[in-house]
């Protein structure tokens, strides 16, 4: 676990440190497209955040290859090299699209080529665990088609959901954490060595998203663009493919004692392939709804619009931050609920917990607007836009603004602070990309 945490932290640190210089490079390169009708941000914001994410991926793989235990993945398997090859191709395609724009069909072809490269290097689905039957071997043609389809669907699902600040990175991070928990359980709980690559990929994916989120949370200073959304979608697909395609169910059968129990233990693997990904069910549902909606209206399935789930949340009155948090909540509920069910499917408390959390989610929809602000002890560790800003009283008289009137500054506590907070003037955060 310590080596996985080290790899995660390195990927997060490199991504975080690279994002600032990448933002300046994107501005200098002119990768700041004009505001489109479907966009929710009001000012041009630089893209190319995928450059920093790709740097975090390379750093994580490099550090992992030098570690004692995790490093065995690189000698016993060709999957890390397959991931890096496919990620490099999809990242390059995304960079070109962020800067100059690429036709949708060309992007689809590039995604299929990247998936084909991974299949050619051994990252493919060899068999499927089917309930009541067991492991079903796939022919080379079936294996290639299924793997390419899964990669393309996952990439576009993540790309479609990347419409609000911090939404795609946060949802993929939540899904990555849930998948890491399942893969780590297979690796160390059942001694399945083939689960080690998927566990490593999930840890690096979490680090990439954690390092990028501080720069991407509303108001975002930089967008990941297609170079980032397609990259993290491919890494997530590679994790699922590595677990499903390489883990031999017979190894788990030796522990569980029956094929039926083995198939049950593989539940979080075959469900992602059928849905196609339970861990990103919200983006997948958004993708399906978008295709149906556009086809019904006589448009191309790749035509952009404002009908995504996050757009609808904004239209019914939710703020930007609340819409993102709502999507986070439902993604976490589905992802962690699936992992919990795989561990204890006979426990009634799991179903009750899911129902209770669903009720909590409905209550959250009725709460007042939420504006993230870091506590005072963390002021020096977060970006300036999340700090409590203080206004000099002398300067406030000159520009007509009010001094710092937080409950702490006014000496209000408890119910008095809550009651007075609604009367305080609201300060709008200004994007630093102006």
């Amino acid at each position: 676990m310590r080596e996985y945490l080290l790899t995660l932290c390195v990927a997060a640190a490199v991504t975080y440190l690279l994002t600032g210089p990448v933002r300046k490079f994107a501005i200098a390169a002119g990768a700041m497209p004009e505001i489109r009708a479907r966009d929710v941000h009001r000012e041009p914001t630089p893209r190319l955040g995928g450059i920093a994410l790709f740097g975090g991926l390379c750093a994580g793989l490099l550090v992992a290859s030098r570690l004692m235990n995790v490093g065995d993945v690189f000698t016993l398997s060709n999957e890390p090299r397959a991931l890096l090859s496919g990620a490099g191709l999809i990242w390059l395609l995304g960079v070109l699209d962020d800067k100059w724009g690429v036709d949708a069909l060309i992007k689809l072809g590039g995604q299929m080529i990247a998936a084909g490269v991974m299949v050619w290097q051994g990252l493919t689905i060899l068999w499927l665990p089917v309930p009541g039957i067991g492991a079903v071997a796939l022919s080379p043609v079936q294996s290639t088609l299924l793997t390419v389809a899964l990669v393309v669907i996952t990439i576009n699902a993540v790309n479609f959901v990347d419409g609000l600040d911090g939404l795609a990175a946060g949802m993929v991070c939540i899904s990555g954490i849930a998948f890491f928990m399942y893969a780590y359980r297979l690796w160390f709980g059942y001694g399945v060595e083939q689960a080690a690559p998927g566990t490593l990929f999930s840890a690096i994916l979490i680090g990439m998203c954690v390092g990028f989120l501080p720069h991407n949370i509303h108001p975002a200073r930089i967008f990941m663009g297609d170079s980032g959304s397609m990259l993290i979608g491919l890494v997530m697909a590679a994790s699922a493919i590595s677990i499903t395609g390489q883990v031999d169910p017979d190894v788990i059968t030796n522990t569980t004692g029956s094929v039926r129990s083995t198939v049950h233990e593989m539940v979080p693997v075959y469900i992602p392939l059928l849905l196609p990904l339970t861990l990103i069910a919200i983006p997948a549902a958004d993708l399906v709804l978008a295709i149906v909606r556009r086809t019904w209206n006589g448009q191309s399935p790749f035509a952009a619009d404002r009908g995504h789930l996050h757009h609808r949340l904004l239209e019914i009155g939710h703020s930007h931050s609340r819409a993102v948090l709502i999507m986070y909540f439902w993604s976490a509920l589905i992802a962690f609920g699936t992992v919990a069910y795989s561990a204890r499917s006979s426990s009634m408390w799991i179903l009750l917990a899911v129902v209770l959390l669903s009720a909590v989610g409905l209550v959250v929809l009725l709460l007042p607007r939420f504006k993230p602000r870091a506590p005072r002890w963390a002021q020096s560790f977060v970006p300036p836009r999340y700090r409590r800003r203080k206004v000099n009283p002398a300067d406030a008289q000159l520009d007509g603004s009010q001094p710092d009137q937080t409950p702490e500054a006014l000496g209000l506590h408890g119910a008095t602070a809550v009651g007075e907070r609604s009367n305080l003037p609201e300060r709008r955060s200004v994007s630093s990309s102006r």
Side-chain angles (χ1 to χ4, degrees):
M1 176 62 76
R2 289 180 297 180
E3 293 187 352
Y4 286 116
L5 291 178
L6 176 61
T7 303
L8 188 154
C9 292
V10 169
V14 171
T15 303
Y16 179 82
L17 295 176
L18 283 179
T19 305
V22 168
R23 179 178 180 273
K24 296 180 180 179
F25 169 76
I27 296 175
M32 296 178 60
E34 297 295 331
I35 305 298
R36 300 164 295 186
R38 70 178 187 270
D39 292 333
V40 298
H41 59 284
R42 299 179 180 179
E43 298 179 357
T45 305
R47 295 185 180 182
L48 294 178
I51 297 178
L53 290 168
F54 186 71
L57 172 65
C58 295
L61 291 175
L62 178 61
V63 171
S65 65
R66 304 301 179 185
L67 297 178
M68 181 179 300
N69 296 321
V70 179
D72 294 339
V73 174
F74 294 82
T75 58
L76 301 177
S77 172
N78 198 42
E79 294 182 26
R81 286 179 286 275
L83 171 64
L84 188 59
S85 300
L89 290 176
I90 205 70
W91 170 77
L92 181 59
L93 176 65
V95 169
L96 296 177
D97 183 57
D98 290 340
K99 180 60 179 73
W100 292 286
V102 177
D103 184 75
L105 292 179
I106 296 179
K107 283 199 297 185
L108 180 62
Q111 295 167 5
M112 297 175 66
I113 292 175
V117 168
M118 292 196 302
V119 172
W120 179 61
Q121 296 192 10
L123 186 56
T124 183
I125 300 174
L126 301 178
W127 46 64
L128 289 177
V130 179
I133 298 178
V136 177
L138 300 178
S139 65
V141 175
Q142 293 173 337
S143 175
T144 301
L145 293 179
L146 183 59
T147 304
V148 172
L150 179 61
V151 172
V152 172
I153 290 174
T154 307
I155 288 175
N156 286 281
V158 176
N159 192 22
F160 273 41
V161 83
D162 184 25
L164 297 179
D165 297 350
L167 182 58
M171 293 182 67
V172 171
C173 183
I174 292 171
S175 301
I177 294 173
F179 205 89
F180 175 81
M181 293 170 60
Y182 172 74
Y184 188 83
R185 176 169 170 259
L186 278 183
W187 172 209
F188 287 94
Y190 293 97
V192 181
E193 296 182 358
Q194 293 86 350
T199 309
L200 175 62
F201 298 162
S202 299
I204 295 177
L205 179 63
I206 297 170
M208 294 163 59
C209 295
V210 169
F212 187 74
L213 271 174
H215 300 273
N216 191 235
I217 295 179
H218 183 70
R221 303 179 67 235
I222 184 173
F223 295 152
M224 67 171 60
D226 282 3
S227 60
S229 61
M230 292 195 301
L231 175 63
I232 61 178
L234 181 137
V235 177
M236 168 155 285
S239 302
I241 292 170
S242 177
I243 293 291
T244 306
Q246 306 299 325
V247 172
D248 187 355
D250 292 338
V251 177
I252 305 179
T253 302
N254 296 333
T255 303
T256 59
S258 66
V259 174
R260 178 175 298 180
S261 299
T262 299
V263 173
H264 167 70
E265 297 295 340
M266 299 286 285
V267 163
V269 177
Y270 69 73
I271 283 183
L273 292 176
L274 298 178
L275 286 182
L277 279 176
T278 298
L279 298 181
I280 54 171
I282 300 298
D286 194 16
L287 171 63
V288 174
L289 292 176
I291 294 176
V292 173
R293 179 180 65 252
R294 294 166 184 174
T295 305
W296 182 266
N297 295 331
Q299 300 175 343
S300 170
F302 302 100
D305 58 15
R306 289 181 59 88
H308 294 292
L309 296 177
H310 49 272
H311 288 135
R312 296 182 181 273
L313 289 174
L314 296 177
E315 290 175 357
I316 63 178
H318 293 294
S319 66
H320 194 294
S321 299
R322 287 189 63 198
V324 172
L325 291 177
I326 290 171
M327 298 285 281
Y328 282 0
F329 173 82
W330 291 111
S331 296
L333 183 62
I334 294 174
F336 291 110
T338 303
V339 174
Y341 178 79
S342 71
R344 299 283 182 179
S345 62
S346 60
S347 299
M348 181 60 65
W349 68 267
I350 296 178
L351 178 61
L352 296 177
V354 171
V355 173
L356 177 61
L357 291 175
S358 299
V360 171
L362 296 177
V363 173
V364 170
L365 298 179
L366 305 177
L367 292 178
R369 179 177 177 179
F370 174 76
K371 298 181 68 176
R373 288 291 183 270
R376 294 190 179 278
W377 59 266
Q379 295 294 304
S380 58
F381 303 102
V382 298
R385 60 186 181 280
Y386 301 118
R387 302 173 185 172
R388 300 177 184 272
R389 293 184 293 178
K390 295 183 179 180
V391 180
N392 191 329
D395 298 336
Q397 295 177 0
L398 294 177
D399 60 10
S401 60
Q402 297 293 330
D404 185 23
Q405 295 186 10
T406 59
E408 293 83 354
L410 295 174
L412 303 178
H413 304 280
T416 306
V418 176
E420 293 291 335
R421 185 173 299 173
S422 60
N423 299 324
L424 300 180
E426 180 181 358
R427 295 185 179 90
R428 297 185 179 274
S429 56
V430 180
S431 174
S432 58
S433 62
R434 285 184 178 175

